[in-house]
Amino acid sequence: MTSRSVTVRVPAKVNVQLAVGGPRPDGFHDLANVFLAVGLYDEVTVTPADGLRITVEGRDADQVPADASNLAARAALALAARREGVTPDVHIHIVKDIPVAGGMAGGSADAAAALLACDALWGTGAGREEMLEICAELGSDVPFSLVGGAALGRGRGELLTALPVGGAFHWVFAVADGGLSTPAVYRECDRLRGDAAVPEPEPAPALLDALRTGDPVALAASLANDLQAAAVSLRPSLAATLAAGTDAGALAGLVSGSGPTCAFLAKDAESARSVAAALSASGTCRAVRVTSGPAEGATVVRQS
Ligand code: ATP
């Protein structure tokens, strides 16, 4: 029986380590990108329609394109293009809870979710390998949104190796007003580095150990983001946000991916709640979210 509607839930991510190499000839940068999926989710529902249609509701929905430039639409088009006789006549409805343009891979998440949902709706039977291949074509962070958990991304972030995680880590996210453009942050990173030699990006062994043992104190000591200086350079107010989170008792804080969301690692769930309350009162961010990771990757949650 073919489905009439499929809903997929997909998590946000934080980069616990983002090591950025020098610019490659193709304009991308080689990365050692340690992703952790966290429990902030978008939901993507697909239903058959006369043509391709996108609707978006939820947090900051007005900032998300509702046309073919939406990454979820591009995912549906990419899957249909690989199957003779499959036309992308589908209504994609996105319920956003992941901050938009916040460095938490919200668009990538929606692309992975739409791909999984359309595959189930159309019965295209794409295997894991083909799904990951399409994800990598859509964007560097899309494969991780599909698999979730924790993973090391090499290349431009799309070549994934799953990482073991020994327990739940508790996070507080300080969401900023407005977004930051990921390409602009990479350009600023290159500009700040100037002619300085850039080492090959490598994952830090201490960080991988901390994930494996589930030790938040050790993980806090190893958090690192090579894009942080560039994000703060473009958005100097982030320095005050980072200070407010650590002053409030977070073990450590860092800019999430290309920002401007700041991520704070807390000792436990109770500490995360008190860090969140202090950050809310600090006036250094627009909104505060509390959650934990690792979270499961894109998952079909409803099908009718
Ligand atoms: P990353 O962490 O992967 O760099 P991000 O979290 O900083 O990404 P996104 O939320 O993915 O940023 O949004 C970046 C831009 O992509 C938005 O400004 C928006 O114009 C566009 N976009 C396209 N499709 C989507 C989508 N489904 N959801 C959110 N933004 C989208």
Side-chain angles (χ1 to χ4, degrees), residues 54 61 90 126 138 144 153 160 168 174 251 253 294:
I54 299 266
V90 65
L138 292 165
F144 179 71
L160 294 180
L251 296 171

Side-chain angles (χ1 to χ4, degrees), residues 13 63-65 69-71 94 96 99-108 110 141 182 258:
K13 58 85 182 162
Q63 293 165 39
V64 177
S69 71
N70 191 299
L71 273 176
I94 304 173
K96 291 241 42 114
V100 174
M104 300 191 75
S108 303
D110 298 343
D141 289 350
T182 302
S258 55

